[in-house]
Amino acid sequence: MTGNEIRETFLSYFERNGHTRVRSSPLLPANDPTLLFTNAGMNQFKDVFLGLEKRDYLRACSSQKCLRAGGKHNDLDEVGKTARHHTFFEMLGNFSFGDYFKREAIEYAWEFVTEVLGLDPQYLRVSVFREDDEARALWKEVAGLSDSRIYGLDEKDNFWQMADTGPCGPCSEIFIDLAHVTKDWRFPEGATGEWTELDREEFSREAFIIGSDAGRFLEFWNLVFMQFDRSADGTLIPLPKPSVDTGAGLERIAAIKQGVTSNYLTDLIRPIIDFTAELAGRRYEHDSNEGFAMRVIADHARATAFSIADGILPANEGRNYVLRKIMRRAIYQGRHVLFAQADGHEGLFFNQVVNFVIDQMKDAYPELETQRDFIVRMVTLEEQRFATALSVGIQKLDAFYASSRFNDGAKTADKTLTSEDWRELAVLYDTFGTPRDLIRVSLAEHGFAIDEEQFNQSFDAALQALQQTGTTEKAEGKAKTNPVYAEVVSRNERSQFKGYETTRVDDARVVAVLKGGSEVPELSAGDEGEVILDHTPFYAESGGQVGDVGRLSNLPAAAGGTDFIASVVDAYSPAQGLIVHKIKGEKGTLKVGDTVSAEVDAEKRDATRRNHTATHLMHAALREVLGTHVKQAGSVVAPNYLRFDFSHYQPLTKSEIEEIENLVNYHILRNEPVETNEMAIEEAMRSGAMALFGEKYGEKVRVLSIKGAEDIFSRELCGGTHVRATGDIGLFKIVSDESIASGVRRIRALTGVDAFERFREAEAIVDRVTSGLRTSRTELPAQVERLQEELKKARREADDLRMKIATGAAASSANGDESRDVGGVRVIAQEASGLDAAGMRQLSDTLLARIKSGVVVLGRTGDGKVSLIVRTSSDVSNRVPAGQVIKELAPIVGGRGGGKPDMAEGGGNQPEKLAEALEASFKVVERLLG
């Protein structure tokens, strides 16, 4: 069976058995700060398992795209080394949400594995949690397994929990004996004949070399029985409706069915390896360095294609930084190993491999084809960017080794690295992207006797220390949902949103009151807390739209109320179906069960609606002007502005901004109706509605459509509040466009009154400038250009004059007035304040040319900072490296520096110590000479 056939066979089997087929969620997790990437099939059902969300079905099945390359689940460093470790893989899963439990889960698993896949039962074994006698008995009854083929393992291997507290339960796994199902299995040395029965210790030892090519038993199916709720003290409380979470690795099943010992040899990955080998003009050989490189490239190309398609782009923070590391690891393997000796191959290759992945996977995942051009373009840009970074990294490595400590003739065995040296090397890797393999090889080339284990230990320690100080952003969040919200949901105390129809309701019932994270019976004047109503007009922050503000009030005491008044300062939804009002009491007392009036600030709601609908129009306009690769990457819709992040690879031109503004304002002037329809998620996607990455949608969604002159101009899934017709927006104006990450740009824009105020402010500025320059509006641009030219000319004349003055002083220095002879080497050290950085470099060139042989040290102050430059002639630089001189001078002025043997620069923030640093340069040169 092919991988595609296995995937479809799995989903079809469970559909026939009453499961709803659910499409894979994106690799970008939806509303879950605890995850870098979607890494398991159950991620999209997490709130269902926690009781925070209810769906229209109790059984589901899926084939989930997964990526494990950061945080708790990080397989990045093992990729290519083992038969079964990947960054990207597919997880087949069937799920029960309080419906069937252990018996049915085991029956489905055994029937599918033995009858549908046709695996021979005599080569299958299972593990259970050592205390789960129920599962053991069911395996004996359902599958007819003997006790000798059921292994009771410890918590580490067969007990699952989502966190330290909450849902948890025992696992049961299915293993296959690879010795009997793969074509190229070889018994380990010393083992002869048939292995029939193994005791628990022997099985555990053989089975759990999971990533190794030598492990005889392969786990490929995992049943998680969520039957307990672990309390803070560790007590396991039975859940009223236990659930099932099944995970089965598609790549592992494909390897079994195709009779190979490695996932990389399956039809899911081997074609990518073969394509890479063809590009490099090489044959794939498993045990060679080139074979390892091909496996890394194949795996990372899959991770790259799917990540970019799902809105994750290479950058320097969080999950985006992890993707950049994945991509650069693959690119480095190609450049350094595969194409290092390839005749004439200097071009790009990874973009071609990723394009091939799209060809392979587009039928199962159409989003790859839709995003093909953008994916390939982003990979090309990153590949070009890394080539530049690699060049810079090599230069910085050269500067590192140029230090006199490493050029003092010490024997190889005597060369050691300090903690500061390791830190510098870690910075090269973490900040500049210099591959760690290149760093390790360069150490050996420069005579450092450091084995791989010692290198990994020292380098990882330095990198960890560097990251802990904040150099690298930690991306894995630790946010948790307050269990009190789950308790409210469990009582079916949900909030019905009435804000689409009105901004005020007068009969809302208080179903819960919270203070300090706990439920309380009442809130009084001056208290800050949270209130949950049975229905409300307040929109909870979601989809980029901020939460509504307004007020809650009760009837006066004379009318039987408590005369309560409170300001609502925010509204949010910590669990599906729950709208929480953050309030500050102003008067009276509010109790659970009270009836209140809930009124939204209508003026701010209207402004927010204008900005939200304008965001949809702008998104459509961006796609029409720039291309369909544009996808929303984040947004803020507030009353006074809108902010929109989107995927694009270059700044917008003036004409593009004007075209986008014209298109949006054209649809505003047409006053087109804004239509909203509720439909099933699958129907909405078929209609062409756009979904946003990182957003979580229920089974029923709202689809917002805006018609154009002939066809639909904009259609998106959106649960926010919007204007009735585009004319209500009034006016639209983009005020800024900036880059916030590689391949991601951010637009800020205004609408309505705020846009009008922006135009009025611009008019006032123009009037003020024309009045001050005594010119007309039509002549203003030419007048400004004339003033700019005059200013540039004056600055050039001032720079020339300063240079002449400095050069005159330099001439006297070069003639010996201020130069000194230090150990037979002429040294000039002087202040050059008044010059800019370029001028100081030019002056150092002039001085070095005049003395012909020696050392030049210049310093300047400005804006509370110090700049230093050191130049050495070619006959002196090997004895007095400029990089070492600057490293000793820069700390004197409170800073750091570095560079090459012939030129180095640095600086600090203590200008009062410049004279001290210049005077110290003579002693530094003297010490270096000997």
PDB file of all heavy atoms in Angstrom, residues 686-717:
ATOM      1  N   ARG A 686     -15.820  25.260   1.057  1.00  0.00           N
ATOM      2  CA  ARG A 686     -16.125  24.967  -0.345  1.00  0.00           C
ATOM      3  C   ARG A 686     -16.610  26.209  -1.091  1.00  0.00           C
ATOM      4  O   ARG A 686     -16.440  26.338  -2.306  1.00  0.00           O
ATOM      5  CB  ARG A 686     -17.172  23.851  -0.439  1.00  0.00           C
ATOM      6  CG  ARG A 686     -16.636  22.462  -0.129  1.00  0.00           C
ATOM      7  CD  ARG A 686     -17.633  21.397  -0.581  1.00  0.00           C
ATOM      8  NE  ARG A 686     -18.903  21.495   0.108  1.00  0.00           N
ATOM      9  CZ  ARG A 686     -19.204  20.876   1.250  1.00  0.00           C
ATOM     10  NH1 ARG A 686     -18.286  20.101   1.821  1.00  0.00           N
ATOM     11  NH2 ARG A 686     -20.390  21.016   1.810  1.00  0.00           N
ATOM     12  N   SER A 687     -17.214  27.143  -0.357  1.00  0.00           N
ATOM     13  CA  SER A 687     -17.721  28.365  -0.991  1.00  0.00           C
ATOM     14  C   SER A 687     -16.610  29.334  -1.350  1.00  0.00           C
ATOM     15  O   SER A 687     -16.865  30.352  -1.998  1.00  0.00           O
ATOM     16  CB  SER A 687     -18.725  29.058  -0.056  1.00  0.00           C
ATOM     17  OG  SER A 687     -18.048  29.701   1.018  1.00  0.00           O
ATOM     18  N   GLY A 688     -15.385  29.024  -0.911  1.00  0.00           N
ATOM     19  CA  GLY A 688     -14.255  29.898  -1.207  1.00  0.00           C
ATOM     20  C   GLY A 688     -13.929  30.873  -0.104  1.00  0.00           C
ATOM     21  O   GLY A 688     -13.068  31.742  -0.271  1.00  0.00           O
ATOM     22  N   ALA A 689     -14.599  30.757   1.038  1.00  0.00           N
ATOM     23  CA  ALA A 689     -14.322  31.665   2.150  1.00  0.00           C
ATOM     24  C   ALA A 689     -12.919  31.426   2.695  1.00  0.00           C
ATOM     25  O   ALA A 689     -12.465  30.291   2.796  1.00  0.00           O
ATOM     26  CB  ALA A 689     -15.352  31.469   3.261  1.00  0.00           C
ATOM     27  N   MET A 690     -12.236  32.514   3.036  1.00  0.00           N
ATOM     28  CA  MET A 690     -10.889  32.415   3.572  1.00  0.00           C
ATOM     29  C   MET A 690     -10.945  32.214   5.080  1.00  0.00           C
ATOM     30  O   MET A 690     -11.692  32.900   5.784  1.00  0.00           O
ATOM     31  CB  MET A 690     -10.080  33.671   3.249  1.00  0.00           C
ATOM     32  CG  MET A 690      -9.757  33.836   1.777  1.00  0.00           C
ATOM     33  SD  MET A 690      -8.632  35.221   1.509  1.00  0.00           S
ATOM     34  CE  MET A 690      -7.213  34.634   2.437  1.00  0.00           C
ATOM     35  N   ALA A 691     -10.115  31.276   5.566  1.00  0.00           N
ATOM     36  CA  ALA A 691      -9.964  31.070   7.008  1.00  0.00           C
ATOM     37  C   ALA A 691      -8.625  31.639   7.419  1.00  0.00           C
ATOM     38  O   ALA A 691      -7.689  31.712   6.618  1.00  0.00           O
ATOM     39  CB  ALA A 691     -10.044  29.583   7.344  1.00  0.00           C
ATOM     40  N   LEU A 692      -8.508  32.051   8.661  1.00  0.00           N
ATOM     41  CA  LEU A 692      -7.292  32.685   9.146  1.00  0.00           C
ATOM     42  C   LEU A 692      -6.471  31.701   9.964  1.00  0.00           C
ATOM     43  O   LEU A 692      -6.999  31.006  10.832  1.00  0.00           O
ATOM     44  CB  LEU A 692      -7.640  33.905  10.008  1.00  0.00           C
ATOM     45  CG  LEU A 692      -8.537  34.949   9.321  1.00  0.00           C
ATOM     46  CD1 LEU A 692      -8.730  36.143  10.228  1.00  0.00           C
ATOM     47  CD2 LEU A 692      -7.943  35.379   7.989  1.00  0.00           C
ATOM     48  N   PHE A 693      -5.156  31.646   9.702  1.00  0.00           N
ATOM     49  CA  PHE A 693      -4.273  30.769  10.452  1.00  0.00           C
ATOM     50  C   PHE A 693      -4.228  31.221  11.911  1.00  0.00           C
ATOM     51  O   PHE A 693      -4.193  32.400  12.222  1.00  0.00           O
ATOM     52  CB  PHE A 693      -2.857  30.803   9.864  1.00  0.00           C
ATOM     53  CG  PHE A 693      -2.787  30.264   8.473  1.00  0.00           C
ATOM     54  CD1 PHE A 693      -2.329  31.045   7.429  1.00  0.00           C
ATOM     55  CD2 PHE A 693      -3.199  28.969   8.200  1.00  0.00           C
ATOM     56  CE1 PHE A 693      -2.258  30.546   6.146  1.00  0.00           C
ATOM     57  CE2 PHE A 693      -3.134  28.460   6.919  1.00  0.00           C
ATOM     58  CZ  PHE A 693      -2.664  29.247   5.889  1.00  0.00           C
ATOM     59  N   GLY A 694      -4.200  30.237  12.810  1.00  0.00           N
ATOM     60  CA  GLY A 694      -4.126  30.544  14.229  1.00  0.00           C
ATOM     61  C   GLY A 694      -5.472  30.797  14.859  1.00  0.00           C
ATOM     62  O   GLY A 694      -5.562  30.988  16.065  1.00  0.00           O
ATOM     63  N   GLU A 695      -6.541  30.795  14.051  1.00  0.00           N
ATOM     64  CA  GLU A 695      -7.885  30.966  14.585  1.00  0.00           C
ATOM     65  C   GLU A 695      -8.555  29.605  14.721  1.00  0.00           C
ATOM     66  O   GLU A 695      -8.347  28.708  13.909  1.00  0.00           O
ATOM     67  CB  GLU A 695      -8.721  31.850  13.666  1.00  0.00           C
ATOM     68  CG  GLU A 695      -8.481  33.334  13.851  1.00  0.00           C
ATOM     69  CD  GLU A 695      -8.812  33.820  15.245  1.00  0.00           C
ATOM     70  OE1 GLU A 695      -9.924  33.550  15.728  1.00  0.00           O
ATOM     71  OE2 GLU A 695      -7.947  34.456  15.865  1.00  0.00           O
ATOM     72  N   LYS A 696      -9.362  29.472  15.757  1.00  0.00           N
ATOM     73  CA  LYS A 696     -10.061  28.216  16.002  1.00  0.00           C
ATOM     74  C   LYS A 696     -11.532  28.389  15.646  1.00  0.00           C
ATOM     75  O   LYS A 696     -12.193  29.314  16.109  1.00  0.00           O
ATOM     76  CB  LYS A 696      -9.912  27.829  17.480  1.00  0.00           C
ATOM     77  CG  LYS A 696     -10.382  26.423  17.780  1.00  0.00           C
ATOM     78  CD  LYS A 696      -9.969  26.052  19.185  1.00  0.00           C
ATOM     79  CE  LYS A 696     -10.309  24.610  19.488  1.00  0.00           C
ATOM     80  NZ  LYS A 696      -9.851  24.216  20.817  1.00  0.00           N
ATOM     81  N   TYR A 697     -12.051  27.514  14.798  1.00  0.00           N
ATOM     82  CA  TYR A 697     -13.422  27.611  14.341  1.00  0.00           C
ATOM     83  C   TYR A 697     -14.231  26.419  14.828  1.00  0.00           C
ATOM     84  O   TYR A 697     -13.714  25.304  14.937  1.00  0.00           O
ATOM     85  CB  TYR A 697     -13.478  27.663  12.817  1.00  0.00           C
ATOM     86  CG  TYR A 697     -12.764  28.853  12.223  1.00  0.00           C
ATOM     87  CD1 TYR A 697     -11.500  28.721  11.648  1.00  0.00           C
ATOM     88  CD2 TYR A 697     -13.345  30.119  12.254  1.00  0.00           C
ATOM     89  CE1 TYR A 697     -10.840  29.807  11.106  1.00  0.00           C
ATOM     90  CE2 TYR A 697     -12.696  31.214  11.717  1.00  0.00           C
ATOM     91  CZ  TYR A 697     -11.443  31.056  11.143  1.00  0.00           C
ATOM     92  OH  TYR A 697     -10.793  32.141  10.610  1.00  0.00           O
ATOM     93  N   GLY A 698     -15.510  26.664  15.114  1.00  0.00           N
ATOM     94  CA  GLY A 698     -16.404  25.587  15.486  1.00  0.00           C
ATOM     95  C   GLY A 698     -16.969  24.909  14.246  1.00  0.00           C
ATOM     96  O   GLY A 698     -16.567  25.184  13.109  1.00  0.00           O
ATOM     97  N   GLU A 699     -17.911  24.015  14.458  1.00  0.00           N
ATOM     98  CA  GLU A 699     -18.525  23.313  13.326  1.00  0.00           C
ATOM     99  C   GLU A 699     -19.436  24.236  12.522  1.00  0.00           C
ATOM    100  O   GLU A 699     -19.611  24.056  11.324  1.00  0.00           O
ATOM    101  CB  GLU A 699     -19.308  22.104  13.837  1.00  0.00           C
ATOM    102  CG  GLU A 699     -18.420  20.999  14.386  1.00  0.00           C
ATOM    103  CD  GLU A 699     -17.351  20.579  13.401  1.00  0.00           C
ATOM    104  OE1 GLU A 699     -17.708  20.091  12.309  1.00  0.00           O
ATOM    105  OE2 GLU A 699     -16.161  20.765  13.703  1.00  0.00           O
ATOM    106  N   LYS A 700     -20.032  25.236  13.187  1.00  0.00           N
ATOM    107  CA  LYS A 700     -20.824  26.246  12.509  1.00  0.00           C
ATOM    108  C   LYS A 700     -20.053  27.563  12.535  1.00  0.00           C
ATOM    109  O   LYS A 700     -19.516  27.966  13.574  1.00  0.00           O
ATOM    110  CB  LYS A 700     -22.176  26.441  13.204  1.00  0.00           C
ATOM    111  CG  LYS A 700     -23.111  25.245  13.085  1.00  0.00           C
ATOM    112  CD  LYS A 700     -23.669  25.130  11.670  1.00  0.00           C
ATOM    113  CE  LYS A 700     -24.721  24.022  11.588  1.00  0.00           C
ATOM    114  NZ  LYS A 700     -25.269  23.909  10.215  1.00  0.00           N
ATOM    115  N   VAL A 701     -19.985  28.239  11.388  1.00  0.00           N
ATOM    116  CA  VAL A 701     -19.214  29.474  11.301  1.00  0.00           C
ATOM    117  C   VAL A 701     -20.028  30.556  10.617  1.00  0.00           C
ATOM    118  O   VAL A 701     -20.992  30.280   9.894  1.00  0.00           O
ATOM    119  CB  VAL A 701     -17.896  29.252  10.513  1.00  0.00           C
ATOM    120  CG1 VAL A 701     -16.972  28.317  11.264  1.00  0.00           C
ATOM    121  CG2 VAL A 701     -18.186  28.718   9.106  1.00  0.00           C
ATOM    122  N   ARG A 702     -19.645  31.802  10.838  1.00  0.00           N
ATOM    123  CA  ARG A 702     -20.252  32.940  10.150  1.00  0.00           C
ATOM    124  C   ARG A 702     -19.359  33.320   8.977  1.00  0.00           C
ATOM    125  O   ARG A 702     -18.138  33.433   9.126  1.00  0.00           O
ATOM    126  CB  ARG A 702     -20.415  34.126  11.104  1.00  0.00           C
ATOM    127  CG  ARG A 702     -21.509  33.895  12.140  1.00  0.00           C
ATOM    128  CD  ARG A 702     -21.500  34.994  13.187  1.00  0.00           C
ATOM    129  NE  ARG A 702     -21.800  36.305  12.655  1.00  0.00           N
ATOM    130  CZ  ARG A 702     -23.019  36.819  12.504  1.00  0.00           C
ATOM    131  NH1 ARG A 702     -24.074  36.080  12.833  1.00  0.00           N
ATOM    132  NH2 ARG A 702     -23.199  38.035  12.042  1.00  0.00           N
ATOM    133  N   VAL A 703     -19.967  33.515   7.833  1.00  0.00           N
ATOM    134  CA  VAL A 703     -19.229  33.877   6.619  1.00  0.00           C
ATOM    135  C   VAL A 703     -19.653  35.280   6.205  1.00  0.00           C
ATOM    136  O   VAL A 703     -20.837  35.538   5.956  1.00  0.00           O
ATOM    137  CB  VAL A 703     -19.500  32.878   5.477  1.00  0.00           C
ATOM    138  CG1 VAL A 703     -18.749  33.304   4.217  1.00  0.00           C
ATOM    139  CG2 VAL A 703     -19.077  31.480   5.894  1.00  0.00           C
ATOM    140  N   LEU A 704     -18.691  36.189   6.141  1.00  0.00           N
ATOM    141  CA  LEU A 704     -18.952  37.575   5.788  1.00  0.00           C
ATOM    142  C   LEU A 704     -18.602  37.789   4.316  1.00  0.00           C
ATOM    143  O   LEU A 704     -17.481  37.501   3.895  1.00  0.00           O
ATOM    144  CB  LEU A 704     -18.123  38.514   6.657  1.00  0.00           C
ATOM    145  CG  LEU A 704     -18.455  39.991   6.456  1.00  0.00           C
ATOM    146  CD1 LEU A 704     -19.340  40.467   7.594  1.00  0.00           C
ATOM    147  CD2 LEU A 704     -17.201  40.830   6.390  1.00  0.00           C
ATOM    148  N   SER A 705     -19.551  38.293   3.529  1.00  0.00           N
ATOM    149  CA  SER A 705     -19.341  38.487   2.091  1.00  0.00           C
ATOM    150  C   SER A 705     -19.640  39.927   1.701  1.00  0.00           C
ATOM    151  O   SER A 705     -20.604  40.539   2.183  1.00  0.00           O
ATOM    152  CB  SER A 705     -20.251  37.557   1.281  1.00  0.00           C
ATOM    153  OG  SER A 705     -20.025  36.201   1.618  1.00  0.00           O
ATOM    154  N   ILE A 706     -18.790  40.467   0.817  1.00  0.00           N
ATOM    155  CA  ILE A 706     -18.997  41.811   0.263  1.00  0.00           C
ATOM    156  C   ILE A 706     -18.903  41.684  -1.247  1.00  0.00           C
ATOM    157  O   ILE A 706     -17.874  41.265  -1.790  1.00  0.00           O
ATOM    158  CB  ILE A 706     -17.938  42.801   0.780  1.00  0.00           C
ATOM    159  CG1 ILE A 706     -17.967  42.872   2.319  1.00  0.00           C
ATOM    160  CG2 ILE A 706     -18.166  44.185   0.182  1.00  0.00           C
ATOM    161  CD1 ILE A 706     -16.831  43.676   2.913  1.00  0.00           C
ATOM    162  N   LYS A 707     -19.966  42.052  -1.927  1.00  0.00           N
ATOM    163  CA  LYS A 707     -20.010  41.916  -3.371  1.00  0.00           C
ATOM    164  C   LYS A 707     -19.237  43.034  -4.057  1.00  0.00           C
ATOM    165  O   LYS A 707     -19.132  44.145  -3.550  1.00  0.00           O
ATOM    166  CB  LYS A 707     -21.457  41.928  -3.865  1.00  0.00           C
ATOM    167  CG  LYS A 707     -22.256  40.703  -3.463  1.00  0.00           C
ATOM    168  CD  LYS A 707     -23.667  40.753  -4.032  1.00  0.00           C
ATOM    169  CE  LYS A 707     -24.455  39.503  -3.644  1.00  0.00           C
ATOM    170  NZ  LYS A 707     -25.847  39.542  -4.168  1.00  0.00           N
ATOM    171  N   GLY A 708     -18.708  42.709  -5.247  1.00  0.00           N
ATOM    172  CA  GLY A 708     -18.085  43.711  -6.087  1.00  0.00           C
ATOM    173  C   GLY A 708     -19.019  44.090  -7.207  1.00  0.00           C
ATOM    174  O   GLY A 708     -20.231  43.831  -7.156  1.00  0.00           O
ATOM    175  N   ALA A 709     -18.458  44.694  -8.251  1.00  0.00           N
ATOM    176  CA  ALA A 709     -19.288  45.115  -9.376  1.00  0.00           C
ATOM    177  C   ALA A 709     -19.904  43.918 -10.089  1.00  0.00           C
ATOM    178  O   ALA A 709     -21.056  43.963 -10.529  1.00  0.00           O
ATOM    179  CB  ALA A 709     -18.457  45.939 -10.352  1.00  0.00           C
ATOM    180  N   GLU A 710     -19.129  42.818 -10.187  1.00  0.00           N
ATOM    181  CA  GLU A 710     -19.629  41.646 -10.906  1.00  0.00           C
ATOM    182  C   GLU A 710     -19.615  40.380 -10.052  1.00  0.00           C
ATOM    183  O   GLU A 710     -20.433  39.492 -10.255  1.00  0.00           O
ATOM    184  CB  GLU A 710     -18.779  41.414 -12.161  1.00  0.00           C
ATOM    185  CG  GLU A 710     -18.840  42.559 -13.163  1.00  0.00           C
ATOM    186  CD  GLU A 710     -17.964  42.306 -14.370  1.00  0.00           C
ATOM    187  OE1 GLU A 710     -17.272  41.264 -14.382  1.00  0.00           O
ATOM    188  OE2 GLU A 710     -17.962  43.135 -15.298  1.00  0.00           O
ATOM    189  N   ASP A 711     -18.687  40.272  -9.130  1.00  0.00           N
ATOM    190  CA  ASP A 711     -18.529  39.043  -8.357  1.00  0.00           C
ATOM    191  C   ASP A 711     -18.284  39.404  -6.893  1.00  0.00           C
ATOM    192  O   ASP A 711     -18.250  40.575  -6.526  1.00  0.00           O
ATOM    193  CB  ASP A 711     -17.349  38.236  -8.930  1.00  0.00           C
ATOM    194  CG  ASP A 711     -17.421  36.765  -8.544  1.00  0.00           C
ATOM    195  OD1 ASP A 711     -18.350  36.400  -7.804  1.00  0.00           O
ATOM    196  OD2 ASP A 711     -16.554  35.999  -8.982  1.00  0.00           O
ATOM    197  N   ILE A 712     -18.103  38.371  -6.065  1.00  0.00           N
ATOM    198  CA  ILE A 712     -17.798  38.606  -4.654  1.00  0.00           C
ATOM    199  C   ILE A 712     -16.389  39.195  -4.541  1.00  0.00           C
ATOM    200  O   ILE A 712     -15.420  38.632  -5.054  1.00  0.00           O
ATOM    201  CB  ILE A 712     -17.878  37.295  -3.848  1.00  0.00           C
ATOM    202  CG1 ILE A 712     -19.300  36.745  -3.882  1.00  0.00           C
ATOM    203  CG2 ILE A 712     -17.436  37.543  -2.409  1.00  0.00           C
ATOM    204  CD1 ILE A 712     -20.323  37.633  -3.203  1.00  0.00           C
ATOM    205  N   PHE A 713     -16.269  40.352  -3.895  1.00  0.00           N
ATOM    206  CA  PHE A 713     -14.953  40.980  -3.717  1.00  0.00           C
ATOM    207  C   PHE A 713     -14.224  40.399  -2.508  1.00  0.00           C
ATOM    208  O   PHE A 713     -13.018  40.179  -2.542  1.00  0.00           O
ATOM    209  CB  PHE A 713     -15.119  42.490  -3.559  1.00  0.00           C
ATOM    210  CG  PHE A 713     -13.820  43.218  -3.358  1.00  0.00           C
ATOM    211  CD1 PHE A 713     -12.875  43.262  -4.380  1.00  0.00           C
ATOM    212  CD2 PHE A 713     -13.520  43.843  -2.151  1.00  0.00           C
ATOM    213  CE1 PHE A 713     -11.657  43.921  -4.199  1.00  0.00           C
ATOM    214  CE2 PHE A 713     -12.326  44.507  -1.965  1.00  0.00           C
ATOM    215  CZ  PHE A 713     -11.390  44.544  -2.993  1.00  0.00           C
ATOM    216  N   SER A 714     -14.960  40.133  -1.427  1.00  0.00           N
ATOM    217  CA  SER A 714     -14.355  39.606  -0.205  1.00  0.00           C
ATOM    218  C   SER A 714     -15.284  38.584   0.422  1.00  0.00           C
ATOM    219  O   SER A 714     -16.494  38.821   0.521  1.00  0.00           O
ATOM    220  CB  SER A 714     -14.085  40.752   0.790  1.00  0.00           C
ATOM    221  OG  SER A 714     -13.715  40.236   2.058  1.00  0.00           O
ATOM    222  N   ARG A 715     -14.725  37.438   0.828  1.00  0.00           N
ATOM    223  CA  ARG A 715     -15.503  36.426   1.546  1.00  0.00           C
ATOM    224  C   ARG A 715     -14.579  35.758   2.558  1.00  0.00           C
ATOM    225  O   ARG A 715     -13.603  35.113   2.192  1.00  0.00           O
ATOM    226  CB  ARG A 715     -16.101  35.399   0.594  1.00  0.00           C
ATOM    227  CG  ARG A 715     -16.855  34.263   1.325  1.00  0.00           C
ATOM    228  CD  ARG A 715     -17.542  33.341   0.337  1.00  0.00           C
ATOM    229  NE  ARG A 715     -18.756  33.945  -0.202  1.00  0.00           N
ATOM    230  CZ  ARG A 715     -19.311  33.583  -1.353  1.00  0.00           C
ATOM    231  NH1 ARG A 715     -18.760  32.647  -2.099  1.00  0.00           N
ATOM    232  NH2 ARG A 715     -20.419  34.168  -1.770  1.00  0.00           N
ATOM    233  N   GLU A 716     -14.870  35.924   3.839  1.00  0.00           N
ATOM    234  CA  GLU A 716     -14.024  35.375   4.901  1.00  0.00           C
ATOM    235  C   GLU A 716     -14.876  34.818   6.027  1.00  0.00           C
ATOM    236  O   GLU A 716     -16.011  35.259   6.255  1.00  0.00           O
ATOM    237  CB  GLU A 716     -13.098  36.458   5.478  1.00  0.00           C
ATOM    238  CG  GLU A 716     -12.059  37.000   4.518  1.00  0.00           C
ATOM    239  CD  GLU A 716     -11.082  37.934   5.219  1.00  0.00           C
ATOM    240  OE1 GLU A 716     -10.834  37.745   6.426  1.00  0.00           O
ATOM    241  OE2 GLU A 716     -10.572  38.853   4.551  1.00  0.00           O
ATOM    242  N   LEU A 717     -14.293  33.847   6.737  1.00  0.00           N
ATOM    243  CA  LEU A 717     -14.907  33.397   7.983  1.00  0.00           C
ATOM    244  C   LEU A 717     -14.656  34.465   9.025  1.00  0.00           C
ATOM    245  O   LEU A 717     -13.522  34.902   9.210  1.00  0.00           O
ATOM    246  CB  LEU A 717     -14.276  32.075   8.450  1.00  0.00           C
ATOM    247  CG  LEU A 717     -14.251  30.908   7.463  1.00  0.00           C
ATOM    248  CD1 LEU A 717     -13.751  29.651   8.169  1.00  0.00           C
ATOM    249  CD2 LEU A 717     -15.630  30.661   6.882  1.00  0.00           C
TER     250      LEU A 717
END
